[in-house]
Amino acid sequence: MNSIHHISNNTHSTAENNIAIFNAVVKKYNMDGYQFTAIKNAKCTIQKGEITFVYGPSGSGKSTFLNILGMLDKPDEGQITILGQDVLSMNDNQAADFRAQHIGFIFQSFNLIPVLSVRENVEFPLLHHNISRHERRKKAEYYLESVGLKDYINRRLSEISGGQRQRVAIARALVTTPALVIADEPTANLDSSTSNEIIHLMLEMRRQFDTSFVICTHNENLLNKSGQLIHIVDGKLKDAGDSQ
Ligand code: ADP
């Protein structure tokens, strides 16, 4: 894991390079009358154009961390700054708009819309953006070409493989040109060679579009790539600059 550098001392970070900053973030769940702390005093920084792998055992808090980073859930304590904005002070509508504009998501089960074609799936997030049909189509085709699906643009989802579906999901995540793409176990439903292809594609897209990727995985074989590493154990972020 020589190529992985830890994020405990971001001495080269500058304010404009910081896409997301967590400070003393705590998330608790109420369970049958008692409170369970799923994220404990989390501190970390996600930098521009950087790939970050979040790993740890099942139940350690990875999805909770990603949901908070992706503004799908709010923590109980702490501060979160994304692109210089205090995102926890936003109301639900502001948060939804900010998320649609700046954050893309890739899921383990692809979460594509089966009745739509490959291209229509990629166009879908642009329906909330104020651009013409022609422009939507052009953008979708551009990102589908970037992920190697030029010849599959008009296919139905049932006519492409699992690896190709995840490529569609990557194009869909990138089509709105977000600063940050969050991928929760993106290779869990793929065989190992397809998983490697998908991880390499994300590394390539990161380089091409200067997008930050945060990728959660429980598969340590995927970690031997260049990038940051956040190890979560029992809700604590290791290697992420917290002193616990
Ligand atoms: P991971 O993604 O690493 O498997 P999760 O973030 O899903 O971990 O879960 C972390 C811990 O929080 C687990 O103990 C899980 O049972 C608990 N948890 C997650 N979501 C909820 C919830 N909505 N209500 C109560 N407990 C939850």
Side-chain angles (χ1 to χ4, degrees):
M1 275 192 214
N2 286 340
S3 56
I4 291 173
H5 65 274
H6 299 282
I7 58 173
S8 46
N9 49 7
N10 275 320
T11 47
H12 302 300
S13 68
T14 58
E16 67 270 25
N17 274 339
N18 291 335
I19 296 294
I21 304 168
F22 272 43
N23 184 28
V25 170
V26 175
K27 175 68 185 175
K28 296 172 183 165
Y29 290 118
N30 288 315
M31 291 187 22
D32 302 330
Y34 80 98
Q35 273 199 331
F36 172 78
T37 306
I39 294 291
K40 299 169 182 161
N41 193 26
K43 295 173 191 163
C44 66
T45 303
I46 308 297
Q47 293 196 27
K48 188 173 166 61
E50 193 158 48
I51 201 152
T52 301
F53 289 97
V54 178
Y55 80 106
S58 183
S60 58
K62 301 183 298 296
S63 296
T64 303
F65 172 75
L66 289 197
N67 287 343
I68 293 172
L69 177 63
M71 299 171 64
L72 298 169
D73 203 358
K74 280 193 168 182
D76 296 278
E77 294 170 29
Q79 293 87 40
I80 300 177
T81 308
I82 301 182
L83 297 169
Q85 307 257 333
D86 171 8
V87 295
L88 299 180
S89 68
M90 294 177 183
N91 66 31
D92 287 352
N93 282 343
Q94 289 169 327
D97 283 349
F98 186 88
R99 194 172 55 230
Q101 212 178 339
H102 299 297
I103 305 178
F105 293 91
I106 297 168
F107 301 94
Q108 81 177 64
S109 50
F110 319 133
N111 286 23
L112 299 166
I113 303 169
V115 295
L116 299 182
S117 71
V118 163
R119 192 192 61 234
E120 288 163 342
N121 266 280
V122 177
E123 280 185 35
F124 194 74
L126 295 173
L127 294 175
H128 307 292
H129 291 235
N130 192 19
I131 58 171
S132 70
R133 192 160 166 259
H134 174 70
E135 195 63 18
R136 271 204 314 267
R137 188 176 266 238
K138 258 180 40 194
K139 276 181 189 266
E141 289 178 0
Y142 172 77
Y143 284 97
L144 280 164
E145 233 179 286
S146 302
V147 299
L149 290 180
K150 187 173 187 292
D151 297 333
Y152 297 83
I153 282 171
N154 293 313
R155 294 270 183 108
R156 302 266 126 207
L157 286 182
S158 57
E159 297 168 338
I160 61 172
S161 68
Q164 288 168 332
R165 287 178 200 182
Q166 200 56 306
R167 284 172 186 266
V168 176
I170 292 169
R172 180 188 57 180
L174 291 169
V175 77
T176 53
T177 56
L180 175 65
V181 169
I182 294 176
D184 194 355
E185 299 275 0
T187 61
N189 288 329
L190 302 174
D191 62 61
S192 63
S193 78
T194 311
S195 295
N196 265 326
E197 279 174 30
I198 290 295
I199 292 289
H200 276 108
L201 177 63
M202 288 195 269
L203 287 165
E204 171 56 29
M205 295 295 101
R206 180 273 308 253
R207 193 161 44 241
Q208 197 171 329
F209 300 113
D210 212 15
T211 309
S212 306
F213 278 82
V214 178
I215 303 172
C216 161
T217 181
H218 65 263
N219 181 353
E220 297 195 16
N221 293 331
L222 296 179
L223 302 177
N224 198 13
K225 317 278 177 195
S226 62
Q228 288 192 101
L229 190 63
I230 295 178
H231 186 193
I232 306 193
V233 181
D234 288 338
K236 289 184 190 167
L237 272 63
K238 308 280 181 182
D239 314 322
D242 80 25
S243 55
Q244 294 186 67

